[in-house]
Amino acid sequence: MSHFSLAERPIDVAGLARELASGAAGASVSFEGWVRDHNDGRAVSRLDYQAYAPLAQAEGERILAEVRARFAIVDARCAHRVGALAIGDLAVWVGVSAAHRGAAFDACRFIIDEVKRRVPIWKNEHYAEGESGWLHPDNTPVE
Amino acid sequence: MSHFSLAERPIDVAGLARELASGAAGASVSFEGWVRDHNDGRAVSRLDYQAYAPLAQAEGERILAEVRARFAIVDARCAHRVGALAIGDLAVWVGVSAAHRGAAFDACRFIIDEVKRRVPIWKNEHYAEGESGWLHPDNTPVE
Amino acid sequence: MNFRVLYFASLRDQAGCDAERVDSAAAEASVLYAELRARHGFSLAQDRLRVAINGDFALWDHPLSDGDEIVFLPPVSGG
Amino acid sequence: MNFRVLYFASLRDQAGCDAERVDSAAAEASVLYAELRARHGFSLAQDRLRVAINGDFALWDHPLSDGDEIVFLPPVSGG
């Protein structure tokens, strides 16, 4: 079963959450990353995500395998949109189920941190004043 | 607007999540606490939550006010079920929206930790072998 | 004085009721709990409990008034 | 040797294409990037990039083979 997915259409959060449900899991933590209407003081109108899909998929699966080995969790999923997104769209979703909440919080944060740091996906913001720019991991522009 | 709620019926997660959506929020973290099929090595068949409702409501709102003062978040909600629940039922839901993910994770964890520590709600587990017992905050039985 | 006392969790089971009216000369919640513990055989010692008076948390030596609603709160276990 | 090179993000904008076939004698990815940077005017220095060869991350001094698919990866910004 795939634990990480690149989505060209809206992420099926309900479907992913159902995959995580388990009688053994008492806790679930999820993270949603939405397209914000501003970044670094500039008004954002929309954005595009590009991905190097085969490596993004492989690296995403590696992160999800690492998290299952490192934390006492039941299961985890992550999905990341690619393509054109509008303000308020869901860009990335992470869900983790566990017997206890501490591991669920830690594992969820580990996944989103590692995905942002390692998975070859790039965000191109389009600004209200008409420009656009590729961003660094810390959301500052690439010069 | 109420930020904390006691729910006698299934928690309306979609409705609460909609209240958190905002163009200014780039991150949302949510916690779900489900009824597990076991605790402390015993098979659980179902459970009941009792609440001292007026104080639970007031203390829940105080926690939500504290979290908005302490963390750089946009908004937060928490709902807790009372009454009879079955295995797999959603017992508690916490959602936090923020501009950045660090504050969203920290605030969500603060809320569930404080709710479990401070809000006058009691869990009575019914075990598969027919007994039942009131639990401590650490899920060990009250002697 | 007359108090309304509410019970939850193991105190409710041991008292055999959700709530009762209590006539007592207890001037403080700690004295009232000692009286009710003796009457109902509550297993929880006072230092395991918190007390709420008229809907908010209170200190054990808070002076009681006629008509107060008093709740002895066992260790909570929500979530 | 002939390589297939894929471009993403600012490299794609500056190259003006998603991918191209490149004939080069470059024995390592670092040499190939220097050649392509000179040709396309890429603003990102090599130390800002990672490189992937045939679908997985690789070291810059990994020996190239004819037919390799090579991707220069700008700093990522998913999430």
Side-chain angles (χ1 to χ4, degrees), chain B residues 20-81:
Chain B
L20 290 179
S22 155
S28 168
V29 172
S30 65
F31 171 83
E32 299 185 358
W34 300 331
V35 179
R36 278 192 303 161
D37 59 11
H38 64 282
N39 181 40
D40 211 17
R42 305 180 74 176
V44 174
S45 56
R46 63 185 180 85
L47 59 76
D48 294 296
Y49 283 104
Q50 282 178 11
Y52 178 30
L55 185 52
Q57 180 67 42
E59 189 70 357
E61 292 292 351
R62 274 193 285 265
I63 291 167
L64 275 286
E66 287 171 24
V67 84
R68 295 195 303 280
R70 282 173 77 134
F71 299 92
I73 64 173
V74 173
D75 211 344
R77 295 286 184 280
C78 177
H80 200 298
R81 281 292 304 277

Side-chain angles (χ1 to χ4, degrees), chain C residues 2-47:
Chain C
N2 184 268
F3 307 115
R4 178 169 169 80
V5 182
L6 309 187
Y7 297 116
F8 294 94
S10 61
L11 297 183
R12 179 177 292 185
D13 293 349
Q14 291 165 0
C17 63
D18 296 4
E20 63 179 344
R21 292 238 156 240
V22 175
D23 287 308
S24 167
E28 300 178 356
S30 58
V31 176
L32 183 64
Y33 184 69
E35 292 177 8
L36 293 169
R37 189 181 185 197
R39 183 187 307 170
H40 293 301
F42 294 142
S43 57
L44 287 166
Q46 181 196 307
D47 64 4

Side-chain angles (χ1 to χ4, degrees), chain B residues 4-140:
Chain B
F4 179 87
S5 52
L6 293 171
E8 299 190 356
R9 300 185 164 276
I11 296 168
D12 176 17
V13 171
L16 292 169
R18 269 195 303 277
E19 293 179 13
L20 290 179
S22 155
S28 168
V29 172
S30 65
F31 171 83
E32 299 185 358
W34 300 331
V35 179
R36 278 192 303 161
D37 59 11
H38 64 282
N39 181 40
D40 211 17
R42 305 180 74 176
V44 174
S45 56
R46 63 185 180 85
L47 59 76
D48 294 296
Y49 283 104
Q50 282 178 11
Y52 178 30
L55 185 52
Q57 180 67 42
E59 189 70 357
E61 292 292 351
R62 274 193 285 265
I63 291 167
L64 275 286
E66 287 171 24
V67 84
R68 295 195 303 280
R70 282 173 77 134
F71 299 92
I73 64 173
V74 173
D75 211 344
R77 295 286 184 280
C78 177
H80 200 298
R81 281 292 304 277
V82 291
L85 278 75
I87 304 300
D89 280 355
L90 182 64
V92 57
W93 186 87
V94 181
V96 175
S97 60
H100 300 288
R101 70 187 185 282
F105 274 106
D106 291 343
C108 187
R109 192 160 190 167
F110 175 90
I111 293 168
I112 186 61
D113 287 350
E114 293 299 293
V115 166
K116 290 175 80 92
R117 195 172 70 79
R118 292 163 49 183
V119 174
I121 297 175
W122 297 273
K123 173 161 57 179
N124 192 9
E125 289 189 342
H126 298 261
Y127 302 108
E129 62 262 40
E131 295 180 16
S132 70
W134 293 99
L135 297 183
H136 280 173
D138 61 0
N139 271 339
T140 57

Side-chain angles (χ1 to χ4, degrees), chain A residues 37-100:
Chain A
D37 59 11
H38 64 282
N39 180 38
D40 211 16
R42 305 180 76 176
V44 174
S45 56
R46 64 185 180 84
L47 58 75
D48 294 295
Y49 283 105
Q50 282 178 13
Y52 177 31
L55 185 53
Q57 180 67 42
E59 189 71 356
E61 292 291 352
R62 273 193 284 266
I63 292 167
L64 275 286
E66 287 171 24
V67 84
R68 295 195 303 280
R70 281 172 77 132
F71 299 93
I73 64 173
V74 173
D75 212 344
R77 294 286 184 281
C78 178
H80 200 298
R81 282 292 304 277
V82 291
L85 278 75
I87 304 300
D89 281 355
L90 183 62
V92 58
W93 187 87
V94 181
V96 176
S97 61
H100 299 289

Side-chain angles (χ1 to χ4, degrees), chain A residues 1 9 16-17 20 22 29-30 33 35 39 47 54 68 77-78 80 90 106 108-111 114 122 135:
Chain A
M1 170 169 294
R9 300 183 166 278
L16 292 168
L20 289 179
S22 154
V29 172
S30 65
V35 180
N39 180 38
L47 58 75
R68 295 195 303 280
R77 294 286 184 281
C78 178
H80 200 298
L90 183 62
D106 292 342
C108 188
R109 193 159 189 167
F110 176 89
I111 293 168
E114 293 298 294
W122 297 272
L135 297 182

